[in-house]
Structure formats: structure tokens, C-alpha cells
């Protein structure tokens, strides 16, 4: 922890759109004064640089990111076609090094491929027929594997679809390699040799630099039990091994059920690394046509997948209420969203300082649904993302009706009507590499432009200051981080120094902004 007076800066305090200061003081890691540089003498001269509160990524997947250390990234802009996907998988260092070595990739997104389709097992067989090969889709709701992996998992034409999942099949009824939702692909993942516990901790601790060079001082893991039944222990071990950002963990509901729904101790839900709530997945994803919708997908009678029941929702809320933590609900489709908002809207909120129920992402949010959320006695929050429409424009354009398109990712409406709203990355479950580059996300929210320049409903654009509040002062209402999100007396002296003034540069250049320095509790922890 450090102390110091910092002067001659353009300090965005995170308390409001127009709130700037030019100096601040930190004593023993805590901000003690914020004001005008003219009122003080001495101090560290920041040369007029723009300063923001340390950034909060309230919806991310650090444990998934750590678990992908052995996988090759197959995200755009590096991979843009089926052919380049297969070429990329062939770069896996374990290819040709023994039949027990798994060839793993993540992040394919067929929506932009000129071939216009997902890979099949036959495509992946061209990478290897003797080693198991699989590649996760960008949203992590599905994956495709080769014939060898299907054999190892014992999946044949006679294998029925598991409840809440689907096994892709070709015209002749043979599995085509596609496995949709965890219910279908967990049996495959369970066959991989797991990393040793030390390796798992080291991989997670190794993400410290990843976050700090992006200015991220606190991160929430919305699938914390992905690789371990005891994420708190894993993250606290990683903290001891050098992971410095705060971490708020949301175990998956089905994993809590499997563990017998243990109640939390005070120690579990306090500190810099803590259990923050439980994550319940109600449906799939639009880009995969598995989001649970009122209207059937164009050209089909398919309404997507419901992956949790009303009993699950009620039981998850009861557990969270009893334990004083949040429920985070993944509900993509309009039917899934109404189901949750109507089901919980008239109940009493149980947390005083932040949203009791977090809605994940909000790709489609009609004005009627926003009205319902705003009028509810339940305190709902929404962590949305701009990187999705930036990266996956093609699949939204194809799968959404014009009416749906008009209410997709209504970031301005969230900002205006839902106090606990935030922008976040969903890293690495997105269709873009480096999705947790905050300034890429801010640029997309400000311009409402996809990566190819396509217009994505400009009426829902926000200003730079609004977008940054959704990463700082407003985001803190969404996840139980301690003392971060504002540069205010009493808060941690955690802040970032930028290499240019994000508030005045042309919006098209916002994604070029780089974090020059990151400070945590008054100590510099990153310098470019
Ligand atoms: Zn996610």
C-alpha cells in the first residue's frame, strides 16, 4: 500500500458525467482528498494525463481464461473462415506429439465465415484422425469435436440427446461433431487429463498482468465452478501466488446443487476474493439459435432451449437470499427474460447496496420489459456488453427480426433507467480476441458500430463519460467489490493513467487508448 499526492491530471472521479478534479491524495492506500491542484503544493506531476478510477469488469470468466492456457485462440480478427480455423488448429503445439494429447481451440464464430457454416467432425478429422480435437464456439455454449473425440466419449447415433443439451446429427442421423450446452459436452471434457492443482493456481495467478495492463482492478467470474468445485480456494491460492485484482465469484447453480447447497460463512463472502452469488443459466444464445424466445427463429418452428426450471429459479433465489449474496441469471431470449422478471419482479430485494438479481447481457430488451424492470420491487441490475454486436453483427442481423434488432443491446436505455447497470467483457466467451480491452468496448458503445462499420441502432449510443461510468461508478452497484469504482475519499487509491484524453479524441480513435499506468491501493502495479 502506498501514499502520495498526485497533481496536474484530468481526473474523472466516476461519481457523475461531469465530475472531474485535477489532484488527489492517497494515504496508506486510501483516497483522503480529491480537489483542485491549485489548492496544494508539491506532489507527483502527472503531466496533464487523463486519470480514471481502476476499471471493473463485472462479467468475465477468469477461470475459463486460465483453463484455456492450453488451447489455441480461434477468434477473429485472426480467424475469419473455416479454412483459417483449421489452419489455426494445426498450429497447436501438441499436434503430432502422441495420441493421448488433446488438440483444443476456442472461439470459432461461423457467422462471419465465407463458408457460411460451422465446422463438422469431418473438417476436424482433417486436423487429426488419431488425436482428439475439439473447438469451442465463441459463446462457449457449444463445441465441435472430431471423430476420435466422439469415439472416446462413446457418442454414437444411438446416444439420445441429454436433457438441456443437444447432439448435432447429419442427414443420416450420425453425430456430426456438434455438442450443444454443457449437458452434451461435459462428458467429453471430463476425459481430458486435468491440470495438477499447482498448475491451475499458477495459470490463474498468471492472469495478474493480463488484467492490470488493461487497467482492470476488480473482476467477476460468472462461471466460477467451471474447472473446480471449490473456486474460493482456487482464487485465494492464486491471490497468494500473485493475483492482485479483486475477484467476485459466482458458482454455477447446478454445481452448488451437486455440492449439497452448502451455506456460506462470513469469511466466504467477505474480503478481496469472495463468493458473490450464484449463476443460473435459463437458456442458450441467439447467435446459436438456442436463446429461449417467444417467436420461433426465422424459417423454423424452433424457440430455442430452456435450460433451468421455475423450481431452479425459486431455489436459487432462496439460497442467495438466505446467504446474503446475488443471483446472476443468464437469460438471453425474450421469453427467458420475461420469465425471470415476471417471476421475481414483485418480490422484495434482499441486498441493500446493490442489485439482488443480476441479468446477464440483455441482448433483447423491449421498452415494455424495461418498464417492468424499472417498476419492480425487486432490485434488478444488468451487465451488458458492446463487444457482442461489434463482433457478431452478422449473426444478429440474420437471426433477429427488424423489431428485435431495434431493441438489441439498448445501452443508453439501461444507463438511463437501471441504476445498477454496467458494461463488461464476458471474456473469453465472446467472438473477439481481446474482448476485455475496455476501450474497444467503449468505442463500440459510443459509436454503435460493428467491426465492419455496420450501423447498430445509433439511438442507443452513450457518451464517452457514460460508457466509462458503466465501467466504474455505476458498475460498482452490480458486483460486491470493496472500495473501488470511484476516486473519492474513503475509496481505495486504485486508478489508471491513460496515454491520451479519451474524452476529447475522435471517437473512432478510442480503441487506440492505452493504459499507461495502473495503481492499486496507492502503489504502481503496472507501467507500459
Ligand atoms: Zn459469460
Amino acid at each position: 500500500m502506498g501514499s502520495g499526492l498526485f497533481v496536474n491530471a484530468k481526473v474523472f472521479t466516476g461519481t457523475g458525467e461531469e465530475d472531474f478534479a485535477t489532484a488527489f491524495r492517497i494515504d496508506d492506500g486510501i483516497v483522503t482528498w480529491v480537489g483542485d491542484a491549485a489548492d496544494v503544493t508539491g506532489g507527483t506531476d502527472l503531466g496533464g494525463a487523463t486519470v480514471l478510477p481502476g476499471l471493473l469488469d463485472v462479467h468475465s470468466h477468469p477461470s475459463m481464461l486460465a483453463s484455456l492456457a492450453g488451447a489455441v485462440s480461434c477468434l477473429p480478427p485472426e480467424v475469419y473462415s473455416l479454412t483459417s480455423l483449421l489452419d489455426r488448429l494445426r498450429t497447436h503445439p501438441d499436434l503430432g506429439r502422441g495420441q493421448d494429447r488433446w488438440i483444443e481451440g476456442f472461439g470459432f464464430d461461423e457467422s462471419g465465415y465465407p463458408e457460411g457454416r460451422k465446422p463438422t467432425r469431418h473438417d476436424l478429422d482433417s486436423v487429426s484422425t488419431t488425436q482428439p480435437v475439439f473447438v469451442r464456439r465463441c459463446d462457449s455454449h457449444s463445441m465441435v469435436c472430431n471423430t476420435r473425440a466422439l469415439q472416446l466419449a462413446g457418442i454414437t447415433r444411438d446416444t439420445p440427446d441429454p436433457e438441456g443439451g443437444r447432439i448435432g446429427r447429419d442427414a443420416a442421423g450420425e453425430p456430426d461433431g456438434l455438442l450443444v450446452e454443457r449437458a452434451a459436452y461435459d462428458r467429453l471434457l471430463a476425459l481430458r487429463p486435468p491440470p495438477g492443482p499447482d498448475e491451475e493456481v499458477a495459470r490463474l495467478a498468471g492472469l495478474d498482468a493480463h488484467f492490470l495492463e488493461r487497467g482492470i482492478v476488480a473482476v467477476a467470474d460468472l462461471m466460477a465452478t467451471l474447472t473446480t468445485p471449490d473456486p474460493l480456494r482456487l482464487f485465494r491460492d492464486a491471490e497468494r501466488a500473485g493475483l492482485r485484482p479483486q475477484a467476485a465469484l459466482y458458482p454455477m447453480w447446478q454445481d452448488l446443487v451437486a455440492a449439497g447447497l452448502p451455506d456460506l460463512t462470513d469469511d466466504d463472502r467477505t474480503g478481496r476474493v469472495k463468493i458473490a452469488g450464484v449463476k443460473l443459466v435459463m437458456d442458450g444464445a441467439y447467435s446459436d439459435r438456442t436463446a429461449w424466445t417467444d417467436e420461433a427463429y426465422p424459417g423454423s418452428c424452433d424457440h430455442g432451449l430452456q435450460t433451468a426450471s421455475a423450481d431452479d429459479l425459486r431455489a436459487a433465489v432462496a439460497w442467495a437470499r438466505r446467504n446474503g449474496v446475488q443471483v446472476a441469471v443468464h437469460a438471453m431470449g425474450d421469453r427467458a427474460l420475461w420469465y425471470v422478471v415476471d417471476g421475481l419482479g414483485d418480490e422484495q430485494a434482499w441486498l441493500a447496496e446493490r442489485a439482488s438479481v443480476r441479468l446477464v447481457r440483455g441482448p433483447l430488451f423491449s421498452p415494455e420489459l424495461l418498464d417492468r424492470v424499472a417498476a419492480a420491487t425487486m432490485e434488478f441490475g444488468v451487465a451488458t456488453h458492446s463487444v457482442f454486436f461489434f463482433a457478431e453483427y452478422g449473426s444478429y442481423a440474420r437471426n433477429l427480426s427488424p423489431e428485435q434488432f431495434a431493441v438489441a443491446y439498448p445501452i443508453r436505455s439501461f444507463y438511463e433507467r437501471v441504476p445498477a447497470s454496467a458494461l463488461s467483457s464476458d471474456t473469453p466467451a465472446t467472438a473477439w480476441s481481446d474482448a476485455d480491452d475496455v476501450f474497444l468496448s467503449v468505442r463500440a458503445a459510443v459509436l454503435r458500430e460493428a467491426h465492419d462499420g455496420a450501423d447498430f441502432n445509433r439511438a442507443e449510443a452513450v457518451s464517452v463519460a457514460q460508457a466509462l461510468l458503466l465501467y466504474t461508478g455505476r458498475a460498482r452497484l452490480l458486483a460486491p467489490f470493496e472500495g473501488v469504482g470511484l476516486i473519492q475519499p474513503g475509496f481505495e487509491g486504485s486508478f489508471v493513467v491513460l496515454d491520451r484524453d479519451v474524452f476529447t479524441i475522435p471517437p473512432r480513435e478510442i480503441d487506440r487508448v492505452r493504459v499507461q499506468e495502473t495503481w492499486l491501493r496507492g502503489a504502481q502495479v503496472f507501467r507500459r
Side-chain angles (χ1 to χ4, degrees):
M1 288 203 259
S3 302
L5 173 66
F6 298 86
V7 299
N8 189 22
K10 180 175 179 179
V11 183
F12 182 66
T13 60
T15 49
E17 291 174 31
E18 313 277 336
D19 296 353
F20 290 89
T22 54
F24 55 101
R25 188 194 310 277
I26 296 170
D27 287 300
D28 290 332
I30 302 296
V31 176
T32 51
W33 173 82
V34 180
D36 187 341
D39 296 337
V40 288
T41 51
T44 304
D45 187 339
L46 291 175
T50 300
V51 169
L52 307 176
L55 301 164
L56 317 179
D57 193 349
V58 300
H59 181 153
S60 180
H61 298 283
S63 50
M64 188 192 296
L65 204 55
S67 77
L68 293 174
V72 288
S73 166
C74 301
L75 289 160
E78 288 81 13
V79 170
Y80 50 86
S81 65
L82 199 47
T83 313
S84 58
L85 170 72
L86 299 173
D87 286 342
R88 186 79 170 175
L89 288 169
R90 290 187 189 104
T91 67
H92 196 289
D94 283 347
L95 189 63
R97 294 187 53 210
Q99 298 190 3
D100 57 336
R101 305 273 185 132
W102 288 64
I103 305 305
E104 177 181 354
F106 74 94
F108 82 82
D109 174 17
E110 76 286 357
S111 69
Y113 292 175
E115 294 90 345
R117 64 175 178 86
K118 291 185 170 78
T120 66
R121 70 183 165 105
H122 303 295
D123 296 312
L124 300 191
D125 287 348
S126 77
V127 176
S128 178
T129 52
T130 54
Q131 288 178 261
V133 179
F134 73 90
V135 55
R136 293 172 208 258
R137 196 171 186 282
C138 53
D139 57 24
S140 281
H141 281 276
S142 62
M143 55 177 62
V144 177
C145 65
N146 69 347
T147 304
R148 180 69 191 131
L150 283 175
Q151 285 167 351
L152 288 171
I155 296 172
T156 68
R157 62 178 298 138
D158 301 324
T159 309
D161 285 354
E163 198 179 326
R166 192 162 76 213
I167 295 169
R169 296 172 205 268
D170 63 20
E174 291 292 335
D176 65 4
L178 176 68
L179 302 170
V180 181
E181 298 296 337
R182 272 182 69 176
Y185 64 68
D186 266 359
R187 62 197 289 174
L188 182 70
L189 295 184
L191 298 170
R192 287 180 310 163
D198 293 347
E199 190 188 343
E200 223 184 343
V201 170
R203 281 179 180 182
L204 191 56
L207 293 177
D208 181 67
H210 173 98
F211 294 121
L212 295 179
E213 71 185 28
R214 288 162 176 76
I216 296 169
V217 301
V219 64
D221 193 320
L222 269 290
M223 219 189 280
T225 43
L226 181 74
T227 61
T228 170
D230 191 354
L232 191 60
R233 181 150 138 206
L234 172 64
F235 275 80
R236 285 185 174 168
D237 284 349
E239 184 187 21
R240 276 186 284 277
L243 182 69
R244 286 170 289 186
Q246 291 188 35
L249 310 178
Y250 298 77
M252 303 292 288
W253 173 246
Q254 67 266 40
D255 295 322
L256 275 187
V257 170
L261 288 180
D263 279 330
L264 300 174
T265 64
D266 280 343
D267 178 61
D268 293 339
R269 58 189 159 216
T270 48
R272 295 181 64 78
V273 173
K274 70 182 81 162
I275 300 291
V278 58
K279 165 88 174 281
L280 182 69
V281 177
M282 291 300 300
D283 68 346
Y286 273 106
S287 55
D288 227 9
R289 294 167 76 108
T290 49
W292 186 26
T293 56
D294 272 329
E295 272 184 45
Y297 286 92
S300 77
C301 51
D302 189 359
H303 291 263
L305 274 180
Q306 180 185 3
T307 57
S309 68
D311 285 347
D312 289 323
L313 182 61
R314 257 195 306 276
V317 165
W319 180 85
R321 189 186 285 279
R322 187 168 75 239
N323 283 285
V325 294
Q326 296 175 304
V327 177
V329 187
H330 168 110
M332 294 291 109
D334 45 4
R335 187 179 279 183
L337 274 166
W338 274 107
Y339 193 81
V340 174
V341 171
D342 259 346
L344 303 178
D346 298 328
E347 289 190 23
Q348 289 305 311
W350 61 89
L351 299 176
E353 287 174 2
R354 55 187 55 85
S356 294
V357 178
R358 294 181 48 165
L359 300 171
V360 169
R361 205 192 288 184
L364 285 197
F365 229 88
S366 65
E368 297 74 32
L369 186 60
L370 261 168
D371 288 343
R372 181 75 176 97
V373 164
T377 50
M378 179 57 67
E379 208 60 60
F380 289 106
V382 183
T384 189
H385 318 280
S386 52
V387 72
F388 282 94
F389 67 73
F390 175 79
E392 297 183 8
Y393 175 79
S395 71
Y396 288 109
R398 247 193 323 282
N399 290 332
L400 301 184
S401 68
E403 298 74 39
Q404 289 175 317
F405 203 79
V407 297
Y409 294 101
I411 297 173
R412 186 191 184 92
S413 298
F414 288 142
Y415 179 85
E416 288 172 352
R417 306 209 49 201
V418 184
S421 50
L423 278 167
S424 52
S425 74
D426 209 9
T427 298
T430 67
W432 202 257
S433 61
D434 216 12
D436 56 359
D437 174 350
V438 165
F439 297 98
L440 178 78
S441 169
V442 168
R443 179 191 190 270
V446 168
L447 284 176
R448 299 287 298 194
E449 229 178 61
H451 68 94
D452 58 359
D455 180 7
F456 201 93
N457 190 8
R458 293 230 159 88
E460 289 291 346
V462 291
S463 69
V464 174
Q466 290 169 340
L468 288 171
L469 286 175
L470 293 174
Y471 268 110
T472 57
R474 294 284 289 279
R476 56 185 283 276
L477 305 175
L478 214 58
F481 303 125
E482 283 167 27
V484 286
L486 302 179
I487 299 178
Q488 274 289 289
F491 278 70
E492 275 188 8
S494 297
F495 63 95
V496 298
V497 181
L498 306 183
D499 69 345
R500 63 196 85 185
D501 184 354
V502 65
F503 297 98
T504 56
I505 57 173
R508 280 206 163 61
E509 294 173 16
I510 293 174
D511 58 328
R512 290 185 218 157
V513 172
R514 287 291 161 266
V515 169
Q516 206 62 27
E517 298 171 26
T518 302
W519 294 68
L520 216 54
R521 297 195 276 181
Q524 191 181 71
V525 289
F526 168 74
R527 187 184 173 85
R528 190 166 297 277

